[in-house]
């Protein structure tokens, strides 16, 4: 890494804070470590970060509130929660507050490093893709701003907003398995809870649109027990 990626780490257990900081620094990251929510927000306002890691239960202002405050002005920076709270309600609360990832204690440092690298890589890839307005799959081009699918022969299919959002999410995360939880958070924004069948139906529709052979998809794949993956068919 020519420029060090910067991480803001908030954790009130001193030994854990030091262990995480040391391991991240050994990976080549610059780490700014704080032990409470007030300090985290102060440092966040003064410096620029590529990733924010927040323990939930800390003094002054808890991790959920810190995330909420950051998200009011920055929807792009990846946020990861570290917490001993591991119920699905807690996970949903964390994701609602704008988290990109959620790791429960006790955790394996190697797994933390892996997730950190993935989040930073994804956010850097996101910078390149943020302005993505169209994308070609086979003989069809998706226009994200106008919710249209144009065929090379000139025919146009109207896409729904949800179809367009899901296509954009899968394309931005090309070659990565995207979990149902992430789809739920990004596309449905927790307004409603679609069943797995609902998301499956979207994937079936995409196969109808794009796949030369729907039974042997080359673009839109279901990953059993995880979610879905888009590949461009040429890689």
């Amino acid at each position: 890494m020519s420029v060090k990626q910067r991480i803001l780490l908030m954790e009130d257990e001193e030994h854990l804070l030091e262990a995480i900081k040391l391991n991240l620094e050994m990976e080549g990251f610059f780490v700014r470590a704080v032990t409470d929510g007030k300090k985290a927000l102060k440092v966040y306002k003064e410096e620029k970060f590529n990733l924010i890691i927040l323990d939930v239960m800390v003094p002054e202002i808890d991790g959920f509130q810190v995330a909420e405050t950051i998200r009011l002005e920055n929807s792009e920076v990846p946020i990861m929660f570290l917490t001993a709270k591991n119920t699905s309600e807690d996970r949903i609360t964390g994701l609602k507050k704008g988290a990109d990832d959620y790791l429960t204690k006790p955790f394996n440092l190697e797994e933390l490093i892996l997730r950190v690298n993935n989040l930073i890589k994804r956010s850097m890839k996101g910078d390149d893709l943020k302005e993505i307005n169209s994308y070609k799959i086979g003989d069809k081009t998706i226009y994200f701003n106008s919710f249209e699918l144009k065929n090379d022969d000139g025919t146009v299919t109207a896409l729904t907003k949800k179809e367009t959002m899901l296509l954009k999410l899968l394309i931005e995360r090309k070659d990565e398995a995207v979990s149902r939880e992430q789809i739920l958070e990004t596309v449905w924004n927790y307004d409603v809870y679609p069943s797995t069948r609902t998301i499956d139906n979207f994937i079936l529709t995409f196969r109808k649109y794009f796949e030369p052979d729907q039974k042997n998809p080359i673009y839109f794949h279901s990953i059993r027990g995880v979610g879905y993956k888009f590949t461009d068919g040429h890689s």
Side-chain angles (χ1 to χ4, degrees):
M1 274 178 225
S2 47
V3 178
K4 280 195 177 189
Q5 299 293 310
R6 298 170 59 85
I7 297 174
L8 172 57
L9 168 65
M10 177 178 82
E11 169 61 64
D12 69 333
E13 290 175 51
E14 208 66 50
H15 67 287
L16 188 54
L17 181 80
E18 285 308 318
I20 296 171
K21 185 174 188 287
L22 182 68
N23 277 272
L24 290 171
E25 285 172 346
M26 282 162 65
E27 287 290 310
F29 297 112
F30 170 85
V31 182
R32 195 80 151 74
V34 296
T35 52
D36 68 61
K38 241 184 193 165
K39 282 195 199 112
L41 288 173
K42 184 178 185 295
V43 169
Y44 168 75
K45 285 189 171 77
E46 293 166 357
E47 301 175 32
K48 189 182 184 313
F49 294 98
N50 304 94
L51 171 66
I52 293 166
I53 302 175
L54 303 171
D55 181 17
V56 173
M57 295 162 79
V58 294
E60 302 286 352
I61 304 169
D62 73 26
F64 287 154
Q65 284 178 279
V66 173
E68 225 171 359
T69 307
I70 289 170
R71 277 287 173 255
L72 287 173
E73 55 176 87
N74 187 332
S75 60
E76 304 298 336
V77 65
I79 295 176
M80 180 199 281
F81 281 128
L82 301 179
T83 177
K85 304 172 99 174
N86 61 1
T87 66
S88 57
E89 286 82 4
D90 290 319
R91 288 180 69 86
I92 287 170
T93 302
L95 292 165
K96 273 184 173 171
K97 300 292 184 195
D100 298 271
D101 207 346
Y102 193 105
L103 194 56
T104 54
K105 298 175 180 179
F107 53 80
N108 178 311
L109 274 169
E110 216 170 310
E111 185 185 357
L112 173 72
I113 301 291
L114 202 64
R115 289 180 184 227
V116 163
N117 279 315
N118 283 343
L119 284 172
I120 286 190
K121 218 180 290 169
R122 197 186 306 158
S123 73
M124 288 163 75
K125 196 162 80 173
D127 289 343
D128 303 335
L129 284 160
K130 225 170 282 156
E131 297 312 313
I132 181 173
N133 294 319
S134 64
Y135 193 90
K136 187 158 187 172
I137 301 176
D139 59 355
K140 296 179 179 66
T141 305
I142 307 156
Y143 290 90
F144 296 105
N145 295 340
S146 57
F147 307 140
E148 287 177 324
L149 186 60
K150 289 187 182 170
N151 207 310
D152 281 355
D153 66 10
T155 54
V156 176
T157 306
L159 297 168
T160 68
K161 190 178 178 191
K162 292 268 190 279
E163 283 176 338
T164 310
M165 285 169 79
L166 182 50
L167 280 168
K168 191 169 190 195
L169 173 66
L170 293 170
I171 288 165
E172 284 180 345
R173 302 278 299 279
K174 188 174 83 164
D175 298 326
E176 280 182 49
V178 182
S179 71
R180 293 184 184 87
E181 207 167 49
Q182 286 161 330
I183 291 171
L184 182 63
E185 182 202 353
T186 307
V187 179
W188 273 268
N189 203 18
Y190 291 98
D191 297 337
V192 293
Y193 286 79
S195 66
T196 300
R197 174 61 47 217
T198 310
I199 303 174
D200 279 344
N201 286 338
F202 273 75
I203 300 296
L204 289 173
T205 303
F206 295 162
R207 286 179 183 157
K208 260 184 225 149
Y209 290 155
F210 300 104
E211 300 287 0
D213 176 1
Q214 289 174 48
K215 287 193 167 57
N216 297 295
I218 54 172
Y219 301 116
F220 294 94
H221 311 271
S222 300
I223 313 294
R224 189 182 292 280
V226 180
Y228 308 86
K229 180 170 80 167
F230 168 74
T231 55
D232 68 9
H234 305 297
S235 51

